[in-house]
mmCIF file of all heavy atoms in Angstrom:
data_model
loop_
_atom_site.group_PDB
_atom_site.id
_atom_site.type_symbol
_atom_site.label_atom_id
_atom_site.label_comp_id
_atom_site.label_asym_id
_atom_site.label_seq_id
_atom_site.Cartn_x
_atom_site.Cartn_y
_atom_site.Cartn_z
ATOM 1 N N ALA A 145 0.504 5.810 -3.259
ATOM 2 C CA ALA A 145 0.066 4.849 -2.251
ATOM 3 C C ALA A 145 -1.456 4.785 -2.193
ATOM 4 O O ALA A 145 -2.039 3.719 -1.981
ATOM 5 C CB ALA A 145 0.638 5.217 -0.891
ATOM 6 N N LEU A 146 -2.108 5.927 -2.391
ATOM 7 C CA LEU A 146 -3.572 5.955 -2.360
ATOM 8 C C LEU A 146 -4.151 5.134 -3.511
ATOM 9 O O LEU A 146 -5.120 4.388 -3.326
ATOM 10 C CB LEU A 146 -4.083 7.399 -2.419
ATOM 11 C CG LEU A 146 -3.689 8.295 -1.233
ATOM 12 C CD1 LEU A 146 -4.230 9.713 -1.424
ATOM 13 C CD2 LEU A 146 -4.217 7.703 0.074
ATOM 14 N N ASP A 147 -3.554 5.265 -4.705
ATOM 15 C CA ASP A 147 -3.994 4.445 -5.839
ATOM 16 C C ASP A 147 -3.762 2.971 -5.543
ATOM 17 O O ASP A 147 -4.577 2.110 -5.889
ATOM 18 C CB ASP A 147 -3.232 4.835 -7.113
ATOM 19 C CG ASP A 147 -3.666 6.187 -7.652
ATOM 20 O OD1 ASP A 147 -4.762 6.662 -7.259
ATOM 21 O OD2 ASP A 147 -2.923 6.769 -8.461
ATOM 22 N N ALA A 148 -2.643 2.673 -4.900
ATOM 23 C CA ALA A 148 -2.321 1.279 -4.570
ATOM 24 C C ALA A 148 -3.348 0.698 -3.605
ATOM 25 O O ALA A 148 -3.757 -0.465 -3.739
ATOM 26 C CB ALA A 148 -0.918 1.191 -3.975
ATOM 27 N N LEU A 149 -3.766 1.495 -2.621
ATOM 28 C CA LEU A 149 -4.761 1.006 -1.664
ATOM 29 C C LEU A 149 -6.090 0.728 -2.360
ATOM 30 O O LEU A 149 -6.810 -0.217 -1.986
ATOM 31 C CB LEU A 149 -4.953 2.028 -0.541
ATOM 32 C CG LEU A 149 -3.770 2.175 0.426
ATOM 33 C CD1 LEU A 149 -4.037 3.293 1.426
ATOM 34 C CD2 LEU A 149 -3.489 0.863 1.152
ATOM 35 N N MET A 150 -6.422 1.500 -3.377
ATOM 36 C CA MET A 150 -7.647 1.248 -4.140
ATOM 37 C C MET A 150 -7.534 -0.076 -4.902
ATOM 38 O O MET A 150 -8.492 -0.836 -4.982
ATOM 39 C CB MET A 150 -7.913 2.410 -5.101
ATOM 40 C CG MET A 150 -8.263 3.721 -4.412
ATOM 41 S SD MET A 150 -8.526 5.088 -5.572
ATOM 42 C CE MET A 150 -9.958 4.480 -6.471
ATOM 43 N N ILE A 151 -6.343 -0.347 -5.433
ATOM 44 C CA ILE A 151 -6.127 -1.622 -6.128
ATOM 45 C C ILE A 151 -6.229 -2.779 -5.146
ATOM 46 O O ILE A 151 -6.843 -3.815 -5.427
ATOM 47 C CB ILE A 151 -4.753 -1.622 -6.833
ATOM 48 C CG1 ILE A 151 -4.744 -0.615 -7.985
ATOM 49 C CG2 ILE A 151 -4.387 -3.020 -7.330
ATOM 50 C CD1 ILE A 151 -3.397 -0.443 -8.647
ATOM 51 N N LEU A 152 -5.643 -2.602 -3.952
ATOM 52 C CA LEU A 152 -5.670 -3.660 -2.940
ATOM 53 C C LEU A 152 -7.080 -3.934 -2.432
ATOM 54 O O LEU A 152 -7.359 -5.028 -1.930
ATOM 55 C CB LEU A 152 -4.764 -3.289 -1.765
ATOM 56 C CG LEU A 152 -3.267 -3.236 -2.068
ATOM 57 C CD1 LEU A 152 -2.495 -2.764 -0.843
ATOM 58 C CD2 LEU A 152 -2.762 -4.606 -2.514
ATOM 59 N N ALA A 153 -7.960 -2.967 -2.556
ATOM 60 C CA ALA A 153 -9.351 -3.182 -2.164
ATOM 61 C C ALA A 153 -10.052 -4.126 -3.138
ATOM 62 O O ALA A 153 -11.046 -4.769 -2.783
ATOM 63 C CB ALA A 153 -10.095 -1.848 -2.097
ATOM 64 N N ARG A 154 -9.498 -4.239 -4.366
ATOM 65 C CA ARG A 154 -10.104 -5.098 -5.388
ATOM 66 C C ARG A 154 -9.411 -6.442 -5.525
ATOM 67 O O ARG A 154 -10.042 -7.447 -5.857
ATOM 68 C CB ARG A 154 -10.092 -4.393 -6.752
ATOM 69 C CG ARG A 154 -10.820 -3.068 -6.781
ATOM 70 C CD ARG A 154 -10.996 -2.576 -8.205
ATOM 71 N NE ARG A 154 -9.732 -2.430 -8.901
ATOM 72 C CZ ARG A 154 -9.032 -1.298 -8.938
ATOM 73 N NH1 ARG A 154 -9.474 -0.216 -8.288
ATOM 74 N NH2 ARG A 154 -7.897 -1.216 -9.614
ATOM 75 N N THR A 155 -8.105 -6.463 -5.300
ATOM 76 C CA THR A 155 -7.346 -7.696 -5.512
ATOM 77 C C THR A 155 -6.144 -7.734 -4.586
ATOM 78 O O THR A 155 -5.634 -6.676 -4.186
ATOM 79 C CB THR A 155 -6.873 -7.802 -6.977
ATOM 80 O OG1 THR A 155 -6.225 -9.052 -7.194
ATOM 81 C CG2 THR A 155 -5.897 -6.682 -7.329
ATOM 82 N N VAL A 156 -5.688 -8.930 -4.251
ATOM 83 C CA VAL A 156 -4.524 -9.095 -3.378
ATOM 84 C C VAL A 156 -3.373 -9.674 -4.201
ATOM 85 O O VAL A 156 -3.462 -10.805 -4.674
ATOM 86 C CB VAL A 156 -4.833 -10.025 -2.185
ATOM 87 C CG1 VAL A 156 -3.584 -10.217 -1.321
ATOM 88 C CG2 VAL A 156 -5.980 -9.465 -1.354
ATOM 89 N N PRO A 157 -2.289 -8.915 -4.386
ATOM 90 C CA PRO A 157 -1.150 -9.417 -5.157
ATOM 91 C C PRO A 157 -0.321 -10.401 -4.341
ATOM 92 O O PRO A 157 -0.504 -10.535 -3.127
ATOM 93 C CB PRO A 157 -0.347 -8.149 -5.453
ATOM 94 C CG PRO A 157 -0.630 -7.271 -4.267
ATOM 95 C CD PRO A 157 -2.061 -7.550 -3.892
ATOM 96 N N ASP A 158 0.581 -11.090 -5.014
ATOM 97 C CA ASP A 158 1.487 -12.012 -4.326
ATOM 98 C C ASP A 158 2.652 -11.278 -3.681
ATOM 99 O O ASP A 158 3.270 -11.792 -2.742
ATOM 100 C CB ASP A 158 2.016 -13.056 -5.314
ATOM 101 C CG ASP A 158 0.909 -13.947 -5.848
ATOM 102 O OD1 ASP A 158 0.355 -14.719 -5.058
ATOM 103 O OD2 ASP A 158 0.590 -13.849 -7.049
ATOM 104 N N LEU A 159 2.960 -10.063 -4.185
ATOM 105 C CA LEU A 159 4.076 -9.283 -3.642
ATOM 106 C C LEU A 159 3.917 -7.830 -4.064
ATOM 107 O O LEU A 159 3.393 -7.545 -5.147
ATOM 108 C CB LEU A 159 5.408 -9.851 -4.147
ATOM 109 C CG LEU A 159 6.701 -9.213 -3.629
ATOM 110 C CD1 LEU A 159 7.777 -10.281 -3.387
ATOM 111 C CD2 LEU A 159 7.246 -8.189 -4.642
ATOM 112 N N ILE A 160 4.359 -6.921 -3.196
ATOM 113 C CA ILE A 160 4.287 -5.489 -3.478
ATOM 114 C C ILE A 160 5.692 -4.905 -3.508
ATOM 115 O O ILE A 160 6.524 -5.218 -2.654
ATOM 116 C CB ILE A 160 3.463 -4.751 -2.399
ATOM 117 C CG1 ILE A 160 2.013 -5.257 -2.381
ATOM 118 C CG2 ILE A 160 3.490 -3.235 -2.633
ATOM 119 C CD1 ILE A 160 1.222 -4.752 -1.190
ATOM 120 N N ILE A 161 5.957 -4.059 -4.514
ATOM 121 C CA ILE A 161 7.223 -3.314 -4.605
ATOM 122 C C ILE A 161 6.858 -1.841 -4.522
ATOM 123 O O ILE A 161 6.057 -1.349 -5.322
ATOM 124 C CB ILE A 161 7.945 -3.609 -5.927
ATOM 125 C CG1 ILE A 161 8.259 -5.107 -6.042
ATOM 126 C CG2 ILE A 161 9.228 -2.780 -6.034
ATOM 127 C CD1 ILE A 161 8.728 -5.519 -7.425
ATOM 128 N N SER A 162 7.429 -1.117 -3.558
ATOM 129 C CA SER A 162 7.001 0.269 -3.344
ATOM 130 C C SER A 162 8.177 1.210 -3.113
ATOM 131 O O SER A 162 9.188 0.828 -2.514
ATOM 132 C CB SER A 162 6.051 0.338 -2.139
ATOM 133 O OG SER A 162 5.678 1.677 -1.851
ATOM 134 N N ASP A 163 7.997 2.423 -3.592
ATOM 135 C CA ASP A 163 8.917 3.508 -3.257
ATOM 136 C C ASP A 163 8.561 4.017 -1.853
ATOM 137 O O ASP A 163 7.521 3.658 -1.294
ATOM 138 C CB ASP A 163 8.765 4.624 -4.290
ATOM 139 C CG ASP A 163 9.863 5.672 -4.195
ATOM 140 O OD1 ASP A 163 10.826 5.449 -3.432
ATOM 141 O OD2 ASP A 163 9.751 6.710 -4.867
ATOM 142 N N ILE A 164 9.420 4.843 -1.270
ATOM 143 C CA ILE A 164 9.119 5.454 0.031
ATOM 144 C C ILE A 164 8.599 6.873 -0.156
ATOM 145 O O ILE A 164 7.525 7.225 0.342
ATOM 146 C CB ILE A 164 10.367 5.476 0.936
ATOM 147 C CG1 ILE A 164 10.766 4.053 1.328
ATOM 148 C CG2 ILE A 164 10.081 6.306 2.190
ATOM 149 C CD1 ILE A 164 12.019 3.994 2.187
ATOM 150 N N HIS A 165 9.368 7.711 -0.887
ATOM 151 C CA HIS A 165 9.004 9.119 -1.025
ATOM 152 C C HIS A 165 7.940 9.262 -2.106
ATOM 153 O O HIS A 165 8.224 9.156 -3.300
ATOM 154 C CB HIS A 165 10.230 9.955 -1.378
ATOM 155 C CG HIS A 165 9.947 11.419 -1.460
ATOM 156 N ND1 HIS A 165 9.589 12.177 -0.365
ATOM 157 C CD2 HIS A 165 9.936 12.262 -2.521
ATOM 158 C CE1 HIS A 165 9.398 13.423 -0.737
ATOM 159 N NE2 HIS A 165 9.597 13.500 -2.045
ATOM 160 N N MET A 166 6.676 9.475 -1.684
ATOM 161 C CA MET A 166 5.551 9.658 -2.604
ATOM 162 C C MET A 166 4.625 10.719 -2.024
ATOM 163 O O MET A 166 4.577 10.913 -0.810
ATOM 164 C CB MET A 166 4.790 8.337 -2.800
ATOM 165 C CG MET A 166 5.600 7.236 -3.477
ATOM 166 S SD MET A 166 4.651 5.704 -3.700
ATOM 167 C CE MET A 166 4.535 5.130 -1.984
ATOM 168 N N PRO A 167 3.874 11.437 -2.876
ATOM 169 C CA PRO A 167 2.973 12.490 -2.379
ATOM 170 C C PRO A 167 1.787 11.913 -1.614
ATOM 171 O O PRO A 167 1.376 10.774 -1.847
ATOM 172 C CB PRO A 167 2.516 13.186 -3.668
ATOM 173 C CG PRO A 167 2.649 12.134 -4.729
ATOM 174 C CD PRO A 167 3.857 11.331 -4.345
ATOM 175 N N HIS A 168 1.255 12.704 -0.685
ATOM 176 C CA HIS A 168 0.038 12.396 0.076
ATOM 177 C C HIS A 168 0.247 11.307 1.138
ATOM 178 O O HIS A 168 -0.152 11.469 2.282
ATOM 179 C CB HIS A 168 -1.113 12.002 -0.853
ATOM 180 C CG HIS A 168 -1.357 12.979 -1.954
ATOM 181 N ND1 HIS A 168 -1.659 14.308 -1.716
ATOM 182 C CD2 HIS A 168 -1.312 12.828 -3.314
ATOM 183 C CE1 HIS A 168 -1.814 14.929 -2.874
ATOM 184 N NE2 HIS A 168 -1.598 14.069 -3.858
ATOM 185 N N MET A 169 0.836 10.183 0.746
ATOM 186 C CA MET A 169 1.116 9.120 1.708
ATOM 187 C C MET A 169 2.446 8.477 1.339
ATOM 188 O O MET A 169 2.632 8.001 0.221
ATOM 189 C CB MET A 169 0.016 8.050 1.689
ATOM 190 C CG MET A 169 0.266 6.888 2.660
ATOM 191 S SD MET A 169 -0.952 5.546 2.492
ATOM 192 C CE MET A 169 -2.431 6.375 3.043
ATOM 193 N N ASP A 170 3.410 8.458 2.275
ATOM 194 C CA ASP A 170 4.711 7.883 1.947
ATOM 195 C C ASP A 170 4.683 6.357 2.097
ATOM 196 O O ASP A 170 3.681 5.764 2.521
ATOM 197 C CB ASP A 170 5.824 8.505 2.785
ATOM 198 C CG ASP A 170 5.697 8.205 4.285
ATOM 199 O OD1 ASP A 170 4.967 7.267 4.666
ATOM 200 O OD2 ASP A 170 6.344 8.912 5.079
ATOM 201 N N GLY A 171 5.796 5.727 1.736
ATOM 202 C CA GLY A 171 5.867 4.275 1.759
ATOM 203 C C GLY A 171 5.699 3.669 3.138
ATOM 204 O O GLY A 171 5.119 2.585 3.286
ATOM 205 N N TYR A 172 6.200 4.354 4.147
ATOM 206 C CA TYR A 172 6.076 3.836 5.516
ATOM 207 C C TYR A 172 4.599 3.720 5.927
ATOM 208 O O TYR A 172 4.155 2.691 6.444
ATOM 209 C CB TYR A 172 6.806 4.740 6.504
ATOM 210 C CG TYR A 172 8.265 4.957 6.208
ATOM 211 C CD1 TYR A 172 8.772 6.224 5.992
ATOM 212 C CD2 TYR A 172 9.151 3.876 6.152
ATOM 213 C CE1 TYR A 172 10.112 6.438 5.717
ATOM 214 C CE2 TYR A 172 10.502 4.071 5.884
ATOM 215 C CZ TYR A 172 10.973 5.358 5.664
ATOM 216 O OH TYR A 172 12.304 5.558 5.398
ATOM 217 N N ALA A 173 3.853 4.800 5.697
ATOM 218 C CA ALA A 173 2.428 4.788 6.041
ATOM 219 C C ALA A 173 1.685 3.762 5.201
ATOM 220 O O ALA A 173 0.777 3.077 5.689
ATOM 221 C CB ALA A 173 1.825 6.175 5.835
ATOM 222 N N PHE A 174 2.066 3.641 3.925
ATOM 223 C CA PHE A 174 1.430 2.665 3.036
ATOM 224 C C PHE A 174 1.616 1.243 3.565
ATOM 225 O O PHE A 174 0.665 0.459 3.642
ATOM 226 C CB PHE A 174 2.016 2.801 1.632
ATOM 227 C CG PHE A 174 1.597 1.708 0.688
ATOM 228 C CD1 PHE A 174 0.255 1.493 0.392
ATOM 229 C CD2 PHE A 174 2.549 0.886 0.095
ATOM 230 C CE1 PHE A 174 -0.133 0.479 -0.483
ATOM 231 C CE2 PHE A 174 2.185 -0.120 -0.771
ATOM 232 C CZ PHE A 174 0.844 -0.325 -1.068
ATOM 233 N N VAL A 175 2.848 0.909 3.947
ATOM 234 C CA VAL A 175 3.115 -0.442 4.453
ATOM 235 C C VAL A 175 2.348 -0.698 5.744
ATOM 236 O O VAL A 175 1.842 -1.806 5.969
ATOM 237 C CB VAL A 175 4.628 -0.661 4.656
ATOM 238 C CG1 VAL A 175 4.897 -2.003 5.336
ATOM 239 C CG2 VAL A 175 5.345 -0.613 3.318
ATOM 240 N N ARG A 176 2.252 0.315 6.585
ATOM 241 C CA ARG A 176 1.487 0.129 7.828
ATOM 242 C C ARG A 176 0.021 -0.169 7.523
ATOM 243 O O ARG A 176 -0.609 -0.990 8.203
ATOM 244 C CB ARG A 176 1.630 1.363 8.724
ATOM 245 C CG ARG A 176 3.000 1.450 9.415
ATOM 246 C CD ARG A 176 2.996 2.491 10.515
ATOM 247 N NE ARG A 176 2.962 3.838 9.980
ATOM 248 C CZ ARG A 176 4.051 4.559 9.692
ATOM 249 N NH1 ARG A 176 5.257 4.057 9.880
ATOM 250 N NH2 ARG A 176 3.938 5.785 9.215
ATOM 251 N N HIS A 177 -0.533 0.469 6.484
ATOM 252 C CA HIS A 177 -1.903 0.165 6.062
ATOM 253 C C HIS A 177 -2.003 -1.278 5.565
ATOM 254 O O HIS A 177 -2.961 -1.985 5.884
ATOM 255 C CB HIS A 177 -2.339 1.120 4.950
ATOM 256 C CG HIS A 177 -2.914 2.420 5.433
ATOM 257 N ND1 HIS A 177 -2.136 3.451 5.901
ATOM 258 C CD2 HIS A 177 -4.198 2.839 5.534
ATOM 259 C CE1 HIS A 177 -2.905 4.471 6.260
ATOM 260 N NE2 HIS A 177 -4.164 4.123 6.047
ATOM 261 N N VAL A 178 -1.011 -1.691 4.778
ATOM 262 C CA VAL A 178 -1.004 -3.057 4.239
ATOM 263 C C VAL A 178 -0.969 -4.074 5.373
ATOM 264 O O VAL A 178 -1.714 -5.063 5.378
ATOM 265 C CB VAL A 178 0.208 -3.257 3.302
ATOM 266 C CG1 VAL A 178 0.370 -4.736 2.930
ATOM 267 C CG2 VAL A 178 0.053 -2.420 2.038
ATOM 268 N N ARG A 179 -0.116 -3.841 6.353
ATOM 269 C CA ARG A 179 0.033 -4.783 7.462
ATOM 270 C C ARG A 179 -1.189 -4.772 8.399
ATOM 271 O O ARG A 179 -1.485 -5.768 9.042
ATOM 272 C CB ARG A 179 1.298 -4.447 8.261
ATOM 273 C CG ARG A 179 2.587 -4.703 7.486
ATOM 274 C CD ARG A 179 2.829 -6.187 7.330
ATOM 275 N NE ARG A 179 3.985 -6.455 6.466
ATOM 276 C CZ ARG A 179 3.891 -6.946 5.239
ATOM 277 N NH1 ARG A 179 2.697 -7.254 4.746
ATOM 278 N NH2 ARG A 179 4.955 -7.168 4.515
ATOM 279 N N ALA A 180 -1.887 -3.639 8.451
ATOM 280 C CA ALA A 180 -3.030 -3.533 9.361
ATOM 281 C C ALA A 180 -4.277 -4.220 8.826
ATOM 282 O O ALA A 180 -5.159 -4.602 9.595
ATOM 283 C CB ALA A 180 -3.345 -2.067 9.648
ATOM 284 N N ALA A 181 -4.353 -4.394 7.490
ATOM 285 C CA ALA A 181 -5.528 -5.027 6.882
ATOM 286 C C ALA A 181 -5.360 -6.542 6.887
ATOM 287 O O ALA A 181 -4.319 -7.061 6.465
ATOM 288 C CB ALA A 181 -5.715 -4.523 5.451
ATOM 289 N N GLU A 182 -6.362 -7.257 7.352
ATOM 290 C CA GLU A 182 -6.258 -8.709 7.484
ATOM 291 C C GLU A 182 -5.976 -9.396 6.153
ATOM 292 O O GLU A 182 -5.168 -10.325 6.092
ATOM 293 C CB GLU A 182 -7.566 -9.260 8.083
ATOM 294 C CG GLU A 182 -7.544 -10.765 8.325
ATOM 295 C CD GLU A 182 -8.817 -11.255 8.987
ATOM 296 O OE1 GLU A 182 -9.647 -10.417 9.384
ATOM 297 O OE2 GLU A 182 -8.987 -12.487 9.107
ATOM 298 N N ARG A 183 -6.600 -8.933 5.064
ATOM 299 C CA ARG A 183 -6.455 -9.623 3.772
ATOM 300 C C ARG A 183 -5.081 -9.398 3.141
ATOM 301 O O ARG A 183 -4.672 -10.153 2.259
ATOM 302 C CB ARG A 183 -7.574 -9.205 2.817
ATOM 303 C CG ARG A 183 -7.557 -7.745 2.428
ATOM 304 C CD ARG A 183 -8.910 -7.299 1.877
ATOM 305 N NE ARG A 183 -9.323 -8.093 0.730
ATOM 306 C CZ ARG A 183 -9.119 -7.726 -0.530
ATOM 307 N NH1 ARG A 183 -8.461 -6.603 -0.798
ATOM 308 N NH2 ARG A 183 -9.545 -8.472 -1.523
ATOM 309 N N THR A 184 -4.353 -8.352 3.563
ATOM 310 C CA THR A 184 -3.036 -8.091 2.974
ATOM 311 C C THR A 184 -1.901 -8.190 3.986
ATOM 312 O O THR A 184 -0.749 -7.927 3.639
ATOM 313 C CB THR A 184 -3.003 -6.687 2.336
ATOM 314 O OG1 THR A 184 -3.312 -5.693 3.337
ATOM 315 C CG2 THR A 184 -4.010 -6.580 1.199
#
């Protein structure tokens, strides 16, 4: 999820496909970050 957030800082995709169980930040927290950022 951390790598994904770095990618999202550079570009905005048309759709995201994500797992839930991941190290450091799970899918739930990742989606909350995506929804909290205005550009994504």
Side-chain angles (χ1 to χ4, degrees):
L146 297 179
D147 288 342
L149 290 176
M150 293 178 63
I151 292 174
L152 293 176
R154 301 191 302 268
T155 184
V156 178
D158 295 293
L159 183 142
I160 298 170
I161 300 169
S162 177
D163 191 8
I164 293 178
H165 183 66
M166 295 181 289
H168 308 302
M169 179 186 294
D170 65 18
Y172 303 121
F174 171 60
V175 173
R176 285 193 288 270
H177 274 77
V178 170
R179 292 289 174 252
E182 183 177 352
R183 64 199 303 264
T184 58

